[in-house]
Structures are given as structure tokens and as C-alpha cells.
């Protein structure tokens, strides 16, 4: 049974719980209502460890939680769509007994639906004043926005995302209505959540293989004073790895000559990736040499093992010997769980791209890795030195690759910069 943290205003949470009854055999919803939006971060921090996934009543608490958590858990929210705005607008027209022609609306910047929603109506579109807000919104600022327009005679009513703003406006005698989610939106979002949980379950139960290699083991063995010293070292290394295997419910085997293998499930390996990192550091210290690690995931033990061999070859090619994962879909993950984590694919089905890479003599993996790094760093433009620093490649090699990319229209030189009076200026590039 998957535990789902359900976050929203009390009325919204109650509405969702009623509709979620059909999923009670597979999903266990834990209601975590808030009064003020500022409470969301504390709710997430306090309960995240116990939840398999999160479900939010709207985009605002979802975005706050996303900023707090990143993407470690399944996170689904009921989207703010035109129906919520139409519903509130119809209630206003019905209660006031007339068509409202001047209206103020507050809406989230990342989900501005007011203009698009009203443009779809065939009736005369009201005069709309829109106030867009960010995650760190001050509700007093929104309240003053609506009040000022009303006092100046520019509006006949207000639509808001916040119950507190709606209540305060009504106390001033202003026709105010809160935009809320519809039953259809909730049901659709619950279906999305259910599908994501099922996908996660099958993904979690995939086979995972860890290959851990103590490098230059023959040299380590030669430096041992006696055969007993080598045997004691091997026992210490095995003890660490058996403890790791026990932690992830895995099956440990010694392949000889400093290479070891642990079979487990994908979910168990991913949840304890930091334990693996700590174990690798201890192994390297104990053996006084570098340790390479490759992890492979697959639907079968064979495919997972093949991917693990690919991953460890990739790890051994890196200067810092970071952990590398190769997934069943060809996705490569370098330094998983770290700040420097980088994900990119080794495959593509884009025939035009394949032809260009072939013409430029560039591998798919190299190109995808460069693109992934540029996107992760948020670079609009870049230099070959930028790439070389993060890719553990020589600047000369990177310069050759980027030059080839320019020749086949995958990148272009957009300028140059000079920091010294001597030497050639540095070229600035941009992806196409």
C-alpha cells in the first residue's frame, strides 16, 4: 500500500478524499491540511520520510513543495484550469443577478489562465485587471490590488486564489469569489497519480546489479608483505561489501581479482545510493587505490548485468571514478545523488540528428552529454574551456568536438572574449 501525502486547504482535502475512495485498495491518503500557505514547507519536511508520493490541491502548494524537495518523490497536483475560473465567474454572475463587465483576478505567474480562459468565451469579454504572483506571494499585496481597483470604480467584482483574500474582500462589501478545482479535474489528477504510482512500482522492482572493482588489485597484492596480509585485506573488503549487500537485501558474490557483484532490486539500490558511496570511500581507503562502480538496471538479470558492465567501463574512464548508472532505456546517470549529478541518453531516434552526428564524426553519447551539461548549468552561451572543466576532457579535445558540431549545424560561434592583451581571444558558442 502506497502512502500518499494529501496537502491542501481543509475543504479541498475533504473534497479530494471523498473522490479518492475508489483508490483505497491501492493508495493510502494521509490528509495534511494547512490554513496558511506558509505551512506547506513544514508539512513536507516533517512527513516526507513516511510518504511514497504527494498529492496537492493546486499548483501553488505543489510548486512550494517542489522547490523544497526537488524531484525525489512522485508529485501530482490538481491543475488550475479554465473550469475553475468559469465556475467562480458563473457563481458571481448568478449571485449578483447581472453580467459583470469589470473584473480583477489574481493568478499564479507560472499558471496564468485568466486571459486565455476569457478569450475562449463568445460573449462580450469583461474588462480584466490581472495581478500575477510568485511562490513568495504576500496576500496583503493581492488584497490591496483588488481593493484599490474597487475603490477607484474600475471593477465590479474580484476572483482570487486565496480564501483569506476572498473573505477580507467580502468584509469590505466587494463581490469576491475563490477559484476552486472541479470534480472532473480532481478525478483526472487522481488517475494520473495512480498511473505514476503503478509505473513507479514496476520500475522499483526491476533487477539492479552493482559491479564494484578495486582497481590495480594485482599491484596492491604485490605490495603486500605476506600472503596473509592480502587475505586479511580481502576479508576486510568483503565484510564491507557483505554489509552493503545486507543493507539493500542483495546477493553478494566475489568475481576475483578485486571485482565484486551485488544483485538486488532497483528500488533498494536507488534508496541507498549514499550508503554505496560511503562504502566505496572506505574500500578505497582500506586498499589505498581507486574503486570504480557501475550500476545496471534491467527487466532481466542478463540485461541488468550487461548495463552494469557498460556503467563500470564508463566509471573507469572518469578521472574521479564516480558512480555511474546505465538504465534499461539507455539513460546514463553520472554521480547519482550528488550535486554534480548528470543525466543523458546514449540513444536517439532522430534521423536528422543521427545523420549530422555521423557526418561530424561525433558519438551520440558525447553530444547528449554536452547538451545535458549546458542545460543543467543554464548556459545560453559557452566556451570550450567551460565544457572541458566539467567534462573531464582536455580543452583541445573539446575544441575539436565543438568545431565538428559547428560544421554540421549543431552549434555556432556567436562571439569572442578577451581577458588578456596576449594570446588569441576565446570563442563563444551556442547550441543550435
Amino acid at each position: 500500500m502506497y502512502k500518499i501525502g494529501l496537502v491542501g486547504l481543509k475543504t479541498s482535502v475533504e473534497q479530494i478524499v471523498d473522490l479518492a475512495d475508489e483508490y483505497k485498495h491501492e493508495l493510502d491518503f494521509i490528509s495534511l491540511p494547512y490554513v496558511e500557505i506558509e505551512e506547506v514547507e513544514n508539512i513536507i519536511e516533517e512527513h516526507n520520510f513516511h510518504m511514497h508520493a504527494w498529492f496537492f490541491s493546486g499548483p501553488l502548494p505543489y510548486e512550494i513543495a517542489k522547490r523544497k524537495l526537488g524531484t525525489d518523490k512522485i508529485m501530482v497536483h490538481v491543475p488550475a484550469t479554465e473550469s475553475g475560473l468559469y465556475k467562480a465567474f458563473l457563481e458571481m454572475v448568478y449571485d449578483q443577478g447581472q453580467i459583470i463587465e469589470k473584473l480583477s483576478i489574481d493568478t499564479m505567474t507560472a499558471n496564468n489562465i485568466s486571459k486565455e480562459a476569457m478569450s475562449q468565451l463568445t460573449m462580450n469579454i469583461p474588462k480584466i485587471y490581472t495581478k500575477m504572483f510568485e511562490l513568495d506571494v504576500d496576500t496583503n499585496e493581492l488584497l490591496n490590488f483588488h481593493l484599490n481597483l474597487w475603490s477607484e470604480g474600475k471593477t465590479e467584482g474580484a476572483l482570487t486564489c486565496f480564501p483569506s483574500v476572498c473573505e477580507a474582500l467580502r468584509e469590505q462589501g466587494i463581490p469576491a469569489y475563490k477559484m476552486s478545482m472541479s470534480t472532473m479535474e480532481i478525478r483526472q489528477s487522481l488517475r494520473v497519480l495512480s498511473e505514476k504510482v503503478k509505473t513507479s512500482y514496476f520500475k522499483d522492482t526491476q533487477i539492479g546489479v552493482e559491479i564494484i572493482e578495486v582497481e590495480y588489485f594485482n599491484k596492491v597484492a604485490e605490495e603486500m608483505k605476506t600472503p596473509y596480509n592480502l587475505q586479511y585485506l580481502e576479508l576486510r573488503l568483503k565484510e564491507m561489501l557483505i554489509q552493503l549487500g545486507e543493507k539493500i537485501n542483495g546477493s553478494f558474490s566475489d568475481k576475483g581479482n578485486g571485482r565484486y557483484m551485488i544483485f538486488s532490486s532497483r528500488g533498494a539500490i536507488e534508496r541507498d545510493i549514499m550508503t554505496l558511496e560511503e562504502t566505496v570511500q572506505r574500500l578505497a581507503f582500506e586498499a589505498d587505490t581507486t574503486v570504480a562502480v557501475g550500476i545496471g538496471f534491467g527487466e532481466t538479470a542478463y540485461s541488468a548485468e550487461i548495463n552494469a558492465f557498460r556503467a563500470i567501463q564508463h566509471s573507469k574512464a572518469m578521472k574521479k571514478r564516480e558512480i555511474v548508472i546505465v538504465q534499461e532505456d539507455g539513460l546514463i546517470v553520472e554521480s547519482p545523488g550528488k550535486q554534480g549529478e548528470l543525466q543523458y541518453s546514449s540513444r536517439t531516434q532522430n534521423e536528422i540528428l543521427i545523420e549530422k552526428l555521423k557526418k561530424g564524426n561525433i558519438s551520440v553519447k558525447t553530444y547528449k552529454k554536452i547538451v545535458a551539461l549546458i542545460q543543467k548549468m543554464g548556459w545560453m552561451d559557452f566556451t570550450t574551456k567551460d565544457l572541458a572543466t566539467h567534462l573531464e576532457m582536455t580543452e583541445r579535445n573539446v575544441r575539436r568536438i565543438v568545431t565538428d558540431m559547428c560544421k554540421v549545424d549543431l552549434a555556432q560561434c556567436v562571439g569572442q572574449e578577451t581577458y588578456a592583451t596576449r594570446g588569441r581571444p576565446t570563442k563563444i558558442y551556442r547550441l543550435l
Side-chain angles (χ1 to χ4, degrees), residues 120-325:
Q120 296 180 53
L121 297 175
T122 56
M123 56 183 277
N124 290 331
I125 300 174
K127 173 65 177 176
I128 298 176
Y129 297 90
T130 303
K131 175 71 173 179
M132 293 184 287
F133 59 83
E134 305 292 344
L135 293 184
D136 53 352
V137 57
D138 181 355
T139 53
N140 288 324
E141 184 181 337
L142 299 181
L143 177 61
N144 290 330
F145 160 74
H146 293 292
L147 284 174
N148 291 337
L149 289 170
W150 173 265
S151 61
E152 293 170 7
K154 293 182 178 180
T155 58
E156 299 172 342
L159 301 182
T160 177
C161 298
F162 295 88
S164 59
V165 174
C166 184
E167 186 178 341
L169 290 172
R170 288 188 173 185
E171 288 176 357
Q172 299 292 324
I174 301 173
Y177 295 81
K178 179 183 174 297
M179 293 178 285
S180 58
M181 55 192 175
S182 68
T183 300
M184 181 180 65
E185 291 164 346
I186 296 173
R187 284 204 170 103
Q188 178 60 31
S189 300
L190 286 170
R191 281 194 288 269
V192 171
L193 174 67
S194 177
E195 289 302 317
K196 283 194 172 185
V197 167
K198 289 175 183 175
T199 301
S200 174
Y201 171 77
F202 289 119
K203 183 178 176 182
D204 203 53
T205 54
Q206 277 187 332
I207 295 172
V209 176
E210 295 179 344
I211 296 179
I212 301 156
E213 182 174 322
V214 179
E215 296 189 278
Y216 313 112
F217 194 77
N218 289 334
K219 184 179 179 181
V220 172
E222 288 172 4
E223 292 176 354
M224 290 290 151
K225 294 179 180 179
T226 68
Y228 296 110
N229 290 119
L230 177 60
Q231 290 175 350
Y232 282 129
L233 172 63
E234 288 183 303
L235 285 173
R236 291 194 297 272
L237 298 180
K238 286 181 183 180
E239 182 182 12
M240 295 178 199
L241 291 167
I242 290 171
Q243 289 172 349
L244 172 63
E246 183 181 17
K247 184 78 182 291
I248 62 174
N249 295 317
S251 173
F252 168 79
S253 63
D254 182 354
K255 297 301 178 181
N257 206 34
R259 175 170 282 194
Y260 308 92
M261 189 177 293
I262 299 176
F263 282 81
S264 186
S265 69
R266 176 173 183 165
I269 290 174
E270 289 183 329
R271 281 189 292 272
D272 273 306
I273 201 74
M274 296 313 296
T275 303
L276 172 61
E277 180 70 37
E278 292 168 4
T279 302
V280 169
Q281 291 175 3
R282 290 166 57 204
L283 291 170
F285 178 79
E286 190 69 45
D288 193 23
T289 185
T290 54
V291 176
V293 181
I295 301 174
F297 298 138
E299 300 292 339
T300 65
Y302 176 77
S303 61
E305 192 171 346
I306 291 296
N307 286 334
F309 277 113
R310 290 171 179 163
I312 198 167
Q313 292 303 318
H314 192 103
S315 175
K316 291 168 74 172
M318 301 173 71
K319 291 180 181 178
K320 295 182 180 179
R321 299 298 194 275
E322 296 288 353
I323 296 173
V324 176
I325 297 173

Side-chain angles (χ1 to χ4, degrees), residues 78-94:
V78 182
T81 64
E82 296 94 330
S83 61
L85 189 149
Y86 294 152
K87 180 171 173 283
F89 184 63
L90 284 173
E91 288 176 357
M92 176 185 288
V93 170
Y94 179 79

Side-chain angles (χ1 to χ4, degrees), residues 20-55:
D21 190 57
E22 62 182 284
Y23 297 96
K24 64 182 179 182
H25 299 297
E26 57 182 284
L27 304 177
D28 180 18
F29 286 90
I30 312 298
S31 297
L32 300 168
Y34 62 83
V35 177
E36 300 294 337
I37 194 68
E38 291 79 12
E39 299 172 38
V40 172
E41 283 199 8
N42 290 334
I43 290 173
I44 297 298
E45 188 171 6
E46 182 179 351
H47 299 279
N48 185 51
F49 180 75
H50 309 288
M51 301 301 167
H52 295 104
W54 289 96
F55 191 80

Side-chain angles (χ1 to χ4, degrees), residues 417-431:
E417 58 186 6
T418 305
Y419 291 114
T421 55
R422 294 184 179 183
R424 291 183 295 180
T426 302
K427 290 184 178 180
I428 302 172
Y429 296 93
R430 181 177 298 170
L431 287 179

